[in-house]
Amino acid sequence: MSERRASNERLRHLLREAGWTGEAFARAVNATAAEAGLSLRYQRPSVAQWLAGAVPRAPVPELIAEALSRRLGRVVSVADAGFGRLAKGGREGSEPLETGVSLRMPARAGGVPADILYHLAALDEVLDEARTGIVWSGLRPTGGRIGKEEAAAAQTALLMFSSVDKSFGGGYIRAALAAYLTTVIDPWLKAPSSPATARDLRRTAAQLTYLCAFVHFDDMKHGLAQWYYLRALDLTDSADDELTTAVILRGLSVQAYTLGHYPQARRLAQAAHDRCPPWAPGYLRAALLGQRAVTASAFKETRSALEDLASAERHLHGAEEPTAPVGAYHRASLAHQRAETAVHLNDFKHARTAFADALRLRPSSEQRAHALILHKLATLELSRGQLEVACHQWQQLIHDYTALNSCRADGAISEMRSLLRPFSRNPMAASLLRTAAQSSRYAR
C-alpha cells in the first residue's frame, strides 16, 4: 500500500511541476496517443483515478511518460511517472537494440509493437549524433552467400513499392513492405557477401526502410514511422550514403512539422541541409532548401524563408528529373512548399496561386499528393469565405480519393465533413456531405 501511495505522489509531483490541471494533462495524453494512431478520450476523472492508484493498460503509462517528458523538457520514465509495474503486455524503460542493425520490430508480450510512440527525445539524439553506433563486425553471417542478383532484386522491389505508394497510398503496401524487410532484407544484411555487394544492399535497404517509414507516416502511425526512420539512418551510416541520410533527415523534419513540433522540424531541416554533400543533384538540394523555408516560415521568419525558396528555384532550374525511387522532388513539390510558406506568412493570395500551381504541375501518377493538395486549397478557400469554390475542390478530392488507401487522405475527408457541417443548408455542401455519408469508408 505504501509503495502504491508513493507512486501516486510521484505523478502528483510531476503534474504540479508541469503546471497542468487534470483536464490539460488528459488532453496532452490524448494528443500523444493520436500521434501513434490511437484514439483516446481521457478526461479529468481518468487522471483522478491514476492519482488514486489505478494503473491504466499499456501503452497508456508510456503515453503519460512521453507527455510529461515533452512538458518538462527532460526524459520521464514510466517509473518516474509512478507506474513501476506496467499493465500486462507493457515493458519498463527502453532497451537498446542488439548490436548491429535489425529491421525486425521489437515487440511486447502478445506481439504488440514496442515502439508505437513518437518520441521527441529520439529526435534530440539524432541531432546530437548520440544514436547507437553501428558495429557490423558483431553480426554473425547466416544463410548462404548473396551476390549481385539479390541486390538487384531488392532494387526492383524498391521501385515497385515506391510506385504503388505514390499512386495509391501507403495503406496498400505497408504490411507487405514491413514483412519484406523482416523476412528478406534483414537476413540478406546478415549473410556473407563481397564488400561491394554489401554496400549496395545496405544503400537499397536504407531506402526501403525509409519508404517503410513514410508509408507508416502516411497511415498516421507516427511512432512506428519514427522507428523505421531511425533504422534507415543506421543503415545509411553503415553504407556511407550521405544522399540518403539527407533525405531521411528531411523525412523526419516533415513528420515533426506535420505533428506541429516546429522547433524540432526546423533543426532537422537544417541538419538535412548540412549533411547534404556539395556534389548532390540539384533537385535534392532544392528539396532540402524548400523544407528549411517551410520550417522558417512557421516562425514567421519571412526573409529566411523567401531566400531559401529562391535558392531552391535556382537549384531546380535545369536540374535533371530525379530517378531515385525515394526523395523525388520536382516543380510541383516546390510549388507546394511555396504555398505552405505563404500560408504561414499570411500571404493568402500567393498561397492560393502556389497551391493551384502544385496541382497543375503534379504528375498524374501521384494521385495521393494531388488529393491532399486539393484539400489544403479547399480549406484555404473556405477560410476566405469562398464556400462554393471550396466545394468544387472537394468534389475533385472525393473523385481522387476512391482510388486511395491512405489515412492522411481519410483524414482529409473527415476534416472536410467537419468543416462543411455548419453549411449543411447550402446545396453544394449538402451534396458533398451526402456523398461522404453514403460510403462507410469515408467515416472510418
Side-chain angles (χ1 to χ4, degrees), residues 121-376:
L123 301 182
D124 293 332
E125 292 177 6
V126 170
L127 290 163
D128 294 339
E129 298 184 348
R131 291 177 292 111
T132 304
I134 310 305
V135 187
W136 286 94
S137 60
L139 295 175
R140 294 182 179 181
T142 59
R145 187 177 183 84
I146 63 167
K148 60 183 181 181
E149 293 82 5
E150 286 84 358
Q155 184 66 26
T156 301
L158 173 62
L159 294 170
M160 178 196 68
F161 282 123
S162 177
S163 177
V164 174
D165 168 64
K166 288 179 182 177
S167 295
F168 304 109
Y172 284 116
I173 64 168
R174 179 173 55 80
L177 178 51
Y180 181 72
L181 289 173
T182 298
T183 61
V184 179
I185 298 299
D186 195 54
W188 281 356
L189 289 171
K190 297 178 176 69
S193 63
S194 69
T197 297
R199 183 173 57 253
D200 289 346
L201 182 60
R202 289 171 193 168
R203 287 176 178 171
T204 303
Q207 293 178 337
L208 279 162
T209 307
Y210 165 86
L211 181 59
C212 194
F214 181 79
V215 298
H216 279 81
F217 165 79
D218 187 46
D219 254 4
M220 298 176 68
K221 299 182 182 299
H222 289 288
L224 295 176
Q226 185 186 50
W227 188 90
Y228 280 109
Y229 276 134
L230 298 183
R231 300 293 75 73
L233 276 181
D234 289 340
L235 287 165
T236 60
D237 284 349
S238 70
D240 194 25
D241 185 354
E242 293 179 277
L243 295 182
T244 305
T245 295
V247 170
I248 297 166
L249 288 170
R250 176 180 175 268
L252 282 166
S253 176
V254 171
Q255 183 185 29
Y257 169 82
T258 302
L259 294 174
H261 304 305
Y262 294 152
Q264 290 80 7
R266 188 180 184 191
R267 292 172 62 201
L268 286 162
Q270 183 62 51
H273 179 269
D274 292 345
R275 288 295 297 271
C276 186
W279 45 265
Y283 75 84
L284 178 55
R285 299 190 67 82
L288 302 180
L289 285 162
Q291 176 62 16
R292 196 170 70 171
V294 171
T295 59
S297 70
F299 292 92
K300 308 301 182 183
E301 295 185 359
T302 304
R303 181 175 178 178
S304 295
L306 296 182
E307 286 179 350
D308 276 343
L309 287 175
S311 296
E313 180 77 40
R314 288 193 296 270
H315 281 290
L316 196 57
H317 182 71
E320 295 183 2
E321 284 292 317
T323 57
V326 298
Y329 185 89
H330 39 60
R331 299 196 67 81
S333 308
L334 178 58
H336 188 184
Q337 290 174 328
R338 284 190 181 281
E340 290 279 349
T341 299
V343 169
H344 278 299
L345 300 179
N346 298 320
D347 187 349
F348 298 108
K349 178 181 178 181
H350 283 94
R352 181 185 290 115
T353 300
F355 275 133
D357 288 343
L359 290 171
R360 177 175 54 83
L361 297 170
R362 182 70 55 179
S364 59
S365 60
E366 298 183 14
Q367 296 182 80
R368 178 188 53 206
H370 193 268
L372 295 176
I373 295 170
L374 276 169
H375 175 61
K376 291 182 179 181

